[in-house]
Amino acid sequence: MTDNAQIIVDTTLRSAPPAELEPGKVYAFHTPNGVHQVDLTGPDHTGVLSRKTGTTTVRDAQSFLTYWDKHHDDNSEVYADSDRLTVTAVLDAHTPGTARWGGHRLHLALRETTAWQQWTRNDGQLLDQEAFAEFLEDHLPELLEPSAADMLEIAQSFQAAQKVDFQSATRLSSGQRQFQYVETATTKAGQKGQLTVPEQFTIGLVPFEGSEGYKLTARLRYRIGQQGLRLGYKLERPDEIRKTAFADVVKAVGEQIDTTVMNGTAA
C-alpha cells in the first residue's frame, strides 16, 4: 500500500462515526499495528464489583453475628483459634465442587478491657503502701468480697499509716493477716498499732469487651524490709479464666449460626 493510500485509510478511520460498545464485554480491533483489545468487564465500566473482597474486623460476638447474617452462604466456614483468641469466617469459602476466592472474610479480634489489663499487669507485683491503697481505691467496682466499702476502709488505713515502722505480720484463724507496727511520728513515737487485711479477696472482671464477667481470687502478697511494707496480690489462674471467656464467646457464636465452628486457622 502506497503512502497516499495509507493516508486515505487512516483519514477514513478517524472520520468514521464512533462505535457504541456494550459494558461487560471484551472487544478486539484490527489496527495497522496489530490487534487492539478493549476490556469493558471491570467495575469501572459495569458499575458492579465482580466479587466481595476484604476483611472486616469486629470486637464482639454480636457484631460478628450481625455481619455474618448479612453476608454468609451455605458454604461459608468459621474457624476459632484459641492461641490467638480470634474467630475468623471465610464467607466465600470453596464449595464441595467449585473453587472460590476465599477473599471475603470476617475477623473477630477480642480486645481486653482496661480493668483486666490493669489487674493482670500488677499481678505478682509488690507496691508501696500508698500505691497499693490507691490501686484498691481506683478499682472498687471490681471488688466483690470483702465488699468495696470494706476494702476502701482498708485502703484508707494504709494511707493513714505512712509514718510507721512495720515489724511483723501474723496470720489469724479468721484467714486474715495482721500487721504489727510502731509509730515513728514525733508526737506518737513508740506507740504500737496493727492493721488487719484479708489474706484473699474476690474480684469480678470482664476479660474482653462485650464478654461476660468472671470471678477471680486474689491472694495477698507482702514483704517487710528496708523499704518498709510492700503489698500486692497474686491472681489464681487468670490464663484459665481468659481461655474460658474465649470459649464462651465461641460458644455464643456457634449457638447462633448453622455452621460448625472449626478449631484452627483458615488458609
Side-chain angles (χ1 to χ4, degrees):
M1 183 181 293
T2 65
D3 291 342
N4 289 337
Q6 182 64 54
I7 292 173
I8 293 173
V9 172
D10 292 343
T11 303
T12 302
L13 290 174
R14 284 195 296 268
S15 62
E20 183 176 355
L21 303 181
E22 182 180 347
K25 295 184 178 181
V26 179
Y27 296 88
F29 301 93
H30 288 283
T31 69
N33 297 320
V35 177
H36 176 66
Q37 179 176 298
V38 177
D39 186 350
L40 301 183
T41 60
D44 291 341
H45 304 289
T46 63
V48 179
L49 294 174
S50 59
R51 59 188 175 89
K52 296 178 181 179
T53 61
T55 299
T56 296
T57 300
V58 295
R59 296 298 184 184
D60 57 60
Q62 186 54 55
S63 298
F64 183 97
L65 293 170
T66 299
Y67 194 92
W68 168 268
D69 288 342
K70 183 178 180 180
H71 295 284
H72 83 283
D73 60 32
D74 291 342
N75 292 290
S76 298
E77 298 173 349
V78 181
Y79 298 85
D81 188 332
S82 58
D83 292 329
R84 295 184 176 89
L85 301 178
T86 58
V87 180
T88 301
V90 183
L91 299 166
D92 57 342
H94 302 319
T95 71
T98 306
R100 296 201 293 180
W101 291 97
H104 185 205
R105 302 193 174 202
L106 173 61
H107 189 63
L108 170 57
L110 297 174
R111 184 159 50 193
E112 293 179 344
T113 62
T114 300
W116 177 270
Q117 291 176 343
Q118 292 173 343
W119 277 96
T120 54
R121 182 168 56 245
N122 280 332
D123 184 22
Q125 303 297 315
L126 292 177
L127 310 174
D128 61 43
Q129 291 171 234
E130 185 174 4
F132 183 73
E134 289 177 352
F135 182 84
L136 293 180
E137 287 184 336
D138 291 342
H139 293 83
L140 291 177
E142 292 102 60
L143 298 171
L144 302 180
E145 187 180 350
S147 67
D150 291 339
M151 294 301 287
L152 176 61
E153 183 177 349
I154 291 171
Q156 291 173 339
S157 297
F158 277 114
Q159 288 176 324
Q162 290 295 310
K163 297 182 179 181
V164 301
D165 180 17
F166 282 93
Q167 297 182 329
S168 64
T170 305
R171 188 180 188 279
L172 305 179
S173 59
S174 61
Q176 294 181 311
R177 182 71 61 174
Q178 189 175 80
F179 294 96
Q180 309 291 335
Y181 65 83
V182 176
E183 294 276 2
T184 57
T186 304
T187 56
K188 299 181 181 180
Q191 294 186 24
K192 296 183 179 181
Q194 59 190 29
L195 286 175
T196 303
V197 185
E199 277 207 316
Q200 71 178 41
F201 47 98
T202 303
I203 61 175
L205 291 177
V206 177
F208 306 112
E209 295 178 7
S211 72
E212 300 296 325
Y214 298 82
K215 289 183 178 180
L216 290 88
T217 297
R219 298 190 180 279
L220 182 70
R221 293 288 184 268
Y222 73 93
R223 181 179 298 152
I224 299 175
Q226 294 181 346
Q227 295 178 316
L229 175 64
R230 299 182 67 80
L231 297 157
Y233 58 86
K234 185 63 181 174
L235 297 176
E236 278 193 2
R237 301 186 298 275
D239 290 341
E240 291 186 17
I241 296 297
R242 195 167 179 261
K243 289 181 178 179
T244 298
F246 174 71
D248 288 344
V249 170
V250 174
K251 181 180 178 182
V253 169
E255 290 176 344
Q256 298 298 318
I257 65 178
D258 54 2
T259 300
T260 300
V261 179
M262 292 178 281
N263 183 20
T265 304

